[in-house]
Each structure stands twice: as structure tokens, then as C-alpha cells.
Amino acid sequence: MLIAQSPRPALCPAGPRMSRTAEAGEDGGGDGQPSFALEPLKTTTLPVKASPTLPGRDSDRSPCYTDTIKPTSNGVHTIEDRILRITGYYGYYPGYSSHRREEGSESHADTPGSGDSETPSQCQSCTSTALRVLGGLLLVLSVSSSWVGTTQVVKLTFQSFSCPFFMTWFSTNWNILFFPIYYSGHLVTARQKQTPIQKFRECSRIFGEDGLTLKLFLKRTAPFSILWTLTNYLYLLALRKLTATDVSALYCCHKAFVFLLSWIVLKDRFMGVRIVAAIMAITGIVMMAYADGFHGDSIIGVAFAVGSASTSALYKVLFKMFVGSANLGEAAHFFSTLGFFNLIFISCTPVILFFTKVEHWGSLSALPWGYLCGVAGLWLAFNILVNVGLVLTYPILISIGTLLSVPGNAAVDVLKHEVIFSVVRLAATSIICLGFLLLLLPEEWDSVTLRFLATFAEKKGEEHGEELTESSVHTRSRSRANGAVSIPLA
């Protein structure tokens, strides 16, 4: 029998305290000596079984030492780590004790959580991007369809009612409905509802901090209303002389005119590719005029279409200069103001044209109200879709929707009106559309393209290097298999 010894004064801070008594046999001893017992510290909560004494070691050695425990190869630093590892604690990682909690525990614990949080965020971003692109594609088709429908309904209206200014005036009056439609959407979608007057005053900031005054109403609205009326009126005059395909193609030249005016007036950045696109647009205009030999209705129709594109470009440049950018509510307010100005101040012009018999129509009951309302409704829908699209999706998609009206009108002209296009007209239309696409290139397209080509070249170089390395390895392996030794050249 071993005599019990007093416990050591220093113990491990994290391990259980063991009395250094003699290990009694399984039969025990009735000599009154205290038996072997574990007395856990107050800070220890996990029960631990005593480790069996390994052979070859002194039986009086306790499992806890007074000296510092050296870390093992698996990163275990303390007795707590060993206990967690031995007992198979779920989620245990070596080094997860209180001594390493500040270093390693957060990295191990936060890694799964951070991955779970990053995965939904990435999925949400991908989903939002996909929905925005899908909505943009649907919007492109809607913009193109509304513009094609407007042009074709105008052509049908001219068969029984050839009064382009009255049609322009009537369609512009429908712009008054823009703001009420926008406010209806605000009531449906907004969480905090505003009264019509509050929303009207908020959107009136497009005219200045003081809102819409009589002076600003006349100063800001009058020039834009005149340009708006001229653009639409010249477009309708061109439709009386040319096919819908030719007019829609020539109207796409307004993008080149916007660039030229912005470069001259607004001092925008000079871009060589856009100069090339402008030259292509002018070339297409000349070819379109040459298609019928520079005489007759063709040259007049081309002049009207080019005039419509020019006034449209001037309208956009002046809007950018004096008004700047506008959100959807401000744009709706501005369009409604244009319609109101048109109703008050331009209503006298159709009356004057009627009495001078420049545009004569019979009684009001004899007017083709169905066609007139169709033109006005499609025109209003086109303007709403363009402004909504600029807010909800990418602006380039709206421009592509306008460009797609050219093949759309061409399909309708060929299938319904049986129009036969000459080679010169097709070439002119193609050149104008190609110039329009060049104008859609962003300002940094050249640097982006160069970076992409450089990255692509680096990837090809790395792949080629890997292929050479693999081929050399296979060559050496084959040479060794054949008993030959490959000697590298100096």
C-alpha cells in the first residue's frame, strides 16, 4: 500500500485537481485510508474520467503539471482543449479554448455564418440584375411596338384625314394626362401617400427652388413647347411623303445631331467614333435623298424628316442645358405642363389653319376620332415608356427600342403595304442604323476594350505556357520510359 501524499500547491488552471494518493486495488483496502477521488475546480463544468496510467510511467505522476503545457501538433494548447477533443464535443476545433478564442474561434465560428450570409446576398443581386435585364427587354419591345404603332396609325389616318398640325395639336394635349397617371402609380406603390398638391409642389422643383411661377411657366415652357410641336409636325409631314421605314430611319439621325450640338454647345468630350457615326448618318441622309434622283416628294420628305430630327436634338440639348436631369415625377410634371401650354396658347393655330383652308376638315362628327385617339394614346404611351424606362432600367435599352422601330416598320410596310425597297434605300437605312449603334458606345469604350484584350492575351499566354509545361513533362516521361535522358539545351 502506498502512503498518501499531500497535493501539490500548484495546479493547472483549467484541469481537474487530483489528490496524489496511492492507487488502491479493485478489492479496496479496509485500512481507513482515503480512496482515489477527483475534485473538480469551481470553474470546471465538464466531468472528466481519469486517464489510465500508461505502462512505463511513474504511477504517482498526476495528469496535470505545474509547468506550461507545450502546444501539440494539432494545435491543442490547454487541458480544456484536450477534454473537448477527447469527449468528442460537437463543433470542436483544436485551439478553440478560451486561450485562443480571440484568435481562432471567431474565424471558425464566423466562416459558416458569413458564407451563408454572402450566398443569399449574391443570389439576391443576381436575381435583381436578371429581373432588371428581363424588364429592360420587355420595355424595349414595348417602346418599339408603341413607336411602330404610332407611325403606322398615322399613315392610316392620312388616308381619310390629312391634317398633320391638327393631329399634332390633339396628340400633344394628351400629355396633360402624364402627371395624373404618375400620381396614380404613386398611390399604388408608395408607402407614405401624398396629396396631389403636395406631390405637384414637390415635382415643381424642376423649374427651380421657388416652384412653378407664371414667369417660369412662360420662360421655360414656351421654347420647349414650340420645339416639341415642330418635331412632331415635321415628322407627320415627312410621313405624308415617304414610307414609315424611311422616316423612322431618318429620325434616328437625331442621335448624331445631339452629339454634334453637345460637342459644340455643351463642350462635351470629343470622341472620334461618334464623329464617324455622325458622318455615316449624313451619308445615309444623302443616299436616301439620292434614291429618287433629288427631285419630287422624296427630297421634300427627307428634308422634313431631317428637320424633325434636328429640332428633336435641339430640344434635348436645351433641356440638358437649362433644366438638367429630372426624375420620373419631375418629367411627368414637365410633360403635363407642356400639354397645358399647348392647350392654352397653341389652340389658336389649328383654328387659323382651318379658316385659311390650309388644313380643312368638315364637322367635328365627321373626324376619324378612333384613329386620332389611337395616335394620341400610342404617342403618350411611348413617352411614358421612355421616361419610365430611363428610371427602371438601362438607358441604352430605350435607344435600342427606338432603333428597332426601323425593322418593325419595314416588316409592316413589306407585309401590309407591299412596299419594295431599292438597294440604295436599304444601304442608306443600314448605314444610318450602324451609325446609331456606334453612338451608343460609352465614353470609355476604348480603354475598356484595351483592358479586355490585354486580359484575354494574358490568359491565352498562361494557357499556352501550361500546355508547353505539360507537353515537356510528357516528353520527359516518355524519354525516361524508353531509356533515354533529355538534356536541356543551354
Side-chain angles (χ1 to χ4, degrees):
M1 181 187 306
L2 297 177
I3 300 173
Q5 300 177 3
S6 60
R8 295 188 179 185
L11 296 175
C12 283
R17 178 165 41 197
M18 182 185 296
S19 301
R20 292 194 61 183
T21 59
E23 289 186 8
E26 291 184 357
D27 54 348
D31 52 357
Q33 296 293 334
S35 62
F36 181 84
L38 287 175
E39 296 179 6
L41 293 174
K42 295 182 179 180
T43 58
T44 305
T45 57
L46 293 176
V48 182
K49 295 181 180 180
S51 301
T53 305
L54 296 177
R57 292 191 178 184
D58 191 5
S59 60
D60 60 354
R61 296 288 302 273
S62 72
C64 186
Y65 305 99
T66 57
D67 54 349
T68 305
I69 299 176
K70 297 182 180 180
T72 60
S73 60
N74 60 356
V76 178
H77 282 66
T78 62
I79 293 298
E80 182 182 352
D81 289 332
R82 292 185 179 183
I83 293 172
L84 293 174
R85 179 170 59 83
I86 293 171
T87 56
Y89 182 76
Y90 290 100
Y92 168 72
Y93 297 95
Y96 191 78
S97 64
S98 59
H99 294 273
R100 290 179 55 89
R101 192 159 295 164
E102 295 181 357
E103 300 177 2
S105 65
E106 292 181 0
S107 62
H108 290 294
D110 294 345
T111 301
S114 61
D116 295 339
S117 62
E118 289 178 359
T119 302
S121 63
Q122 293 178 356
C123 293
Q124 290 176 359
S125 62
C126 295
T127 303
S128 62
T129 304
L131 291 176
R132 189 175 184 183
V133 172
L134 181 60
L137 294 177
L138 294 176
L139 198 62
V140 164
L141 296 177
S142 302
V143 169
S144 178
S145 302
S146 61
W147 191 238
V148 171
T150 302
T151 305
Q152 294 296 329
V153 173
V154 168
K155 294 288 289 185
L156 294 175
T157 308
F158 281 154
Q159 296 177 2
S160 58
F161 184 75
S162 183
C163 298
F165 194 90
F166 181 84
M167 294 171 61
T168 302
W169 171 82
F170 182 77
S171 301
T172 306
N173 289 334
W174 280 49
N175 286 342
I176 300 176
L177 301 176
F178 203 142
F179 186 80
I181 293 174
Y182 164 75
Y183 183 74
S184 301
H186 164 74
L187 292 178
V188 174
T189 59
R191 294 181 179 179
Q192 296 180 355
K193 314 298 181 183
Q194 293 180 341
T195 62
I197 296 180
Q198 290 177 346
K199 198 64 180 177
F200 186 84
R201 289 177 178 175
E202 178 183 344
C203 297
S204 298
R205 294 177 183 175
I206 190 175
F207 295 97
E209 295 296 332
D210 297 333
L212 182 62
T213 60
L214 180 60
K215 180 180 179 180
L216 288 176
F217 174 74
L218 297 175
K219 182 180 178 180
R220 294 289 178 87
T221 310
F224 291 108
S225 180
I226 294 172
L227 289 174
W228 177 277
T229 303
L230 281 176
T231 299
N232 297 333
Y233 178 57
L234 293 174
Y235 189 85
L236 298 185
L237 287 177
L239 285 175
R240 289 205 305 184
K241 304 292 183 180
L242 300 175
T243 62
T245 305
D246 296 341
V247 176
S248 59
L250 289 170
Y251 183 75
C252 288
C253 295
H254 79 277
K255 200 79 173 178
F257 298 155
V258 168
F259 164 69
L260 293 175
L261 289 174
S262 300
W263 178 40
I264 297 172
V265 179
L266 301 180
K267 307 299 180 182
D268 282 357
R269 179 184 174 186
F270 173 81
M271 293 182 61
V273 67
R274 294 186 179 180
I275 290 293
V276 174
I279 295 174
M280 294 177 67
I282 296 173
T283 303
I285 293 171
V286 175
M287 292 179 64
M288 192 74 71
Y290 173 75
D292 292 334
F294 294 101
H295 65 275
D297 294 340
S298 178
I299 188 64
I300 298 176
V302 170
F304 286 149
V306 173
S308 176
S310 302
T311 52
S312 175
L314 184 60
Y315 174 93
K316 294 180 179 180
V317 172
L318 292 179
F319 187 90
K320 185 177 181 180
M321 179 186 296
F322 295 106
V323 180
S325 60
N327 55 31
L328 183 58
E330 293 173 347
H333 185 284
F334 190 80
F335 273 90
S336 296
T337 306
L338 286 181
F340 190 71
F341 184 91
N342 180 82
L343 181 62
I344 295 176
F345 295 100
I346 304 182
S347 298
C348 59
T349 305
V351 177
I352 294 173
L353 295 178
F354 173 78
F355 286 107
T356 56
K357 296 184 179 180
V358 175
E359 289 187 359
H360 182 72
W361 63 87
S363 60
L364 295 178
S365 59
L367 294 178
W369 291 111
Y371 285 136
L372 293 176
C373 292
V375 171
L378 288 172
W379 221 322
L380 177 63
F382 173 77
N383 293 324
I384 292 176
L385 289 172
V386 167
N387 288 275
V388 170
L390 293 176
V391 175
L392 299 181
T393 184
Y394 306 99
I396 190 174
L397 296 178
I398 306 302
S399 300
I400 293 175
T402 305
L403 180 64
L404 289 179
S405 64
V406 178
N409 282 314
V412 175
D413 288 341
V414 171
L415 296 177
K416 187 175 182 179
H417 303 291
E418 298 181 356
V419 177
I420 299 176
F421 298 100
S422 62
V423 178
V424 178
R425 289 185 180 275
L426 289 176
T429 303
S430 302
I431 290 174
I432 292 174
C433 293
L434 181 58
F436 187 91
L437 290 175
L438 290 178
L439 289 167
L440 297 181
L441 292 175
E443 293 185 355
E444 304 296 335
W445 72 274
D446 48 353
S447 59
V448 173
T449 305
L450 291 177
R451 285 197 299 267
F452 174 77
L453 293 177
T455 305
F456 182 75
E458 290 178 359
K459 288 184 178 180
K460 293 295 291 184
E462 292 176 358
E463 293 177 358
H464 185 64
E466 292 177 357
E467 291 177 358
L468 291 177
T469 304
E470 292 177 358
S471 62
S472 62
V473 170
H474 292 316
T475 304
R476 284 196 292 270
S477 63
R478 286 196 300 269
S479 63
R480 290 172 183 172
N482 296 329
V485 179
S486 59
I487 301 175
L489 298 177

